[in-house]
Amino acid sequence: MIKYIISAFFIYLLIGSMIFLFQRKIIFNISGKPNKPEDYELSNIKELKIQTSDGVDLLAWYSRPKKNQPMLVYFHGNSFDIGERADRIKRYINNGWGVLLLAWRGYSGNLGKPTEKNLYIDGESTIKWIIDNLNFDYENLIIYGESLGCAVAVELGTRYKFKSIILESPFTSITDIAQKRYKIYPVRYLVLDKFDNYSKIDKILSPILIISGKKDEVIPHSHSKKLFLKANNPKKNLFIDEAMHNNLYDFNIDKEVIEFNSLI
């Protein structure tokens, strides 16, 4: 009996150690290089290299806004390259908005390793580059976070006041997600990149729109509800009954994003 208990404990420690050691491989599902913007039927897109404060060059796609229109800064989610977001940004470009779609370090062919700290550096360096080079001020920037990108949008939202913050399929924290998946492990003490959005959401200085599918199979919809309840006004939510994690644009959520920003 004791032998079985020792064996089970050894297996428990072995699996836990593997999860701890490879957690960043699990969290950050890095992608390969995208095709050129024109391959996705995007016109008038300029490919940029934005250098971060720690010297990493990041690929970004930029489309200039029409006169007196805002700039949407798109922080993408986990998995896939930025080309997979082409249909999304096209909708805002067609509305006359400017768009800057950033690829994180480690994604879309960029060098570097993604971590919580490094993604915050990527996001802030991008905002600084826009302010310094495109003659925008903070209050004309719409910060759009998609899934993993929500964490950077939330963090920057506690530092600066933007026109708005859009959170698509956000999560309370990586720790909460990990605890649900690995119930038998003390993950709260093991997670390196916590991305604790819940502790920050009420410190955001800008109007917030939270969008979520009630059938989200990746991040439970309950995360969005908790974040919305804690967020300060002005705020609005768009919770879609039949939507899942990756098909929210099938429900034309861009129309709500555009309307929300027209009213603030």
Side-chain angles (χ1 to χ4, degrees):
M1 181 67 178
I2 294 176
K3 182 173 69 173
Y4 291 120
I5 292 173
I6 293 173
S7 296
F9 185 65
F10 175 77
I11 293 170
Y12 171 84
L13 288 179
L14 178 63
I15 295 173
S17 298
M18 295 294 287
I19 293 171
F20 176 77
L21 292 172
F22 293 100
Q23 62 179 279
R24 283 181 169 148
K25 295 282 187 181
I26 299 170
I27 294 172
F28 303 108
N29 186 18
I30 61 177
S31 61
K33 291 182 179 180
N35 294 329
K36 295 294 183 181
E38 53 267 26
D39 294 329
Y40 304 97
E41 300 181 357
L42 291 172
S43 57
N44 299 316
I45 294 283
K46 185 177 182 181
E47 290 189 276
L48 305 172
K49 286 291 186 179
I50 296 175
Q51 188 171 84
T52 66
S53 58
D54 60 344
V56 178
D57 288 333
L58 303 178
L59 173 66
W61 290 355
Y62 169 58
S63 176
R64 293 180 60 183
K66 293 183 178 178
K67 188 176 181 180
N68 298 323
Q69 292 297 315
M71 168 78 73
L72 184 141
V73 184
Y74 193 109
F75 294 146
H76 70 79
N78 209 0
S79 303
F80 310 114
D81 58 61
I82 58 173
E84 298 296 326
R85 278 78 184 182
D87 180 66
R88 294 166 170 239
I89 66 169
K90 190 184 302 181
R91 302 181 188 213
Y92 301 109
I93 293 170
N94 290 343
N95 191 61
W97 287 9
V99 172
L100 191 143
L101 170 58
L102 176 73
W104 305 120
R105 68 181 70 197
Y107 290 79
S108 294
N110 290 333
L111 300 177
K113 295 182 179 180
T115 66
E116 179 176 11
K117 177 185 175 182
N118 286 345
L119 262 60
Y120 293 158
I121 291 173
D122 293 353
E124 182 148 40
S125 296
T126 299
I127 297 302
K128 185 177 186 303
W129 187 92
I130 291 171
I131 298 299
D132 291 345
N133 293 276
L134 300 181
N135 297 318
F136 274 86
D137 57 37
Y138 294 103
E139 294 191 354
N140 282 324
L141 300 180
I142 298 163
I143 308 302
Y144 190 111
E146 172 208 333
S147 194
L148 176 64
C150 289
V152 183
V154 168
E155 174 66 22
L156 294 180
T158 67
R159 304 179 189 181
Y160 309 103
K161 184 176 182 180
F162 300 106
K163 181 174 177 63
S164 70
I165 302 280
I166 313 298
L167 303 178
E168 178 197 336
S169 303
F171 54 93
T172 53
S173 70
I174 291 293
T175 305
D176 289 341
I177 294 174
Q179 189 64 74
K180 184 173 182 180
R181 294 183 181 178
Y182 309 106
K183 293 182 174 66
I184 63 173
Y185 291 100
V187 297
R188 293 188 179 278
Y189 305 103
L190 301 175
V191 171
L192 298 174
D193 304 289
K194 293 181 169 55
F195 290 114
D196 189 359
N197 297 324
Y198 188 72
S199 71
K200 304 173 187 176
I201 192 74
D202 58 346
K203 299 176 179 64
I204 287 180
L205 307 171
S206 314
I208 304 174
L209 172 63
I210 297 180
I211 305 170
S212 177
K214 293 184 180 180
K215 293 186 176 180
D216 193 316
E217 75 286 10
V218 178
I219 300 171
H221 174 60
S222 59
H223 286 236
S224 289
K225 292 196 293 184
K226 285 184 67 176
L227 289 167
F228 182 76
L229 287 173
K230 193 180 181 188
N232 293 323
N233 288 313
K235 62 182 177 181
K236 187 175 182 181
N237 69 63
L238 177 61
F239 296 158
I240 302 173
D241 291 339
E242 299 301 316
M244 301 174 71
H245 190 73
N246 290 316
N247 70 344
L248 284 160
Y249 275 81
D250 292 347
F251 298 87
N252 298 314
I253 65 171
D254 52 294
K255 294 181 179 179
E256 184 65 35
V257 174
I258 292 167
E259 181 182 0
F260 178 73
N261 281 280
S262 71
L263 298 175
I264 55 178

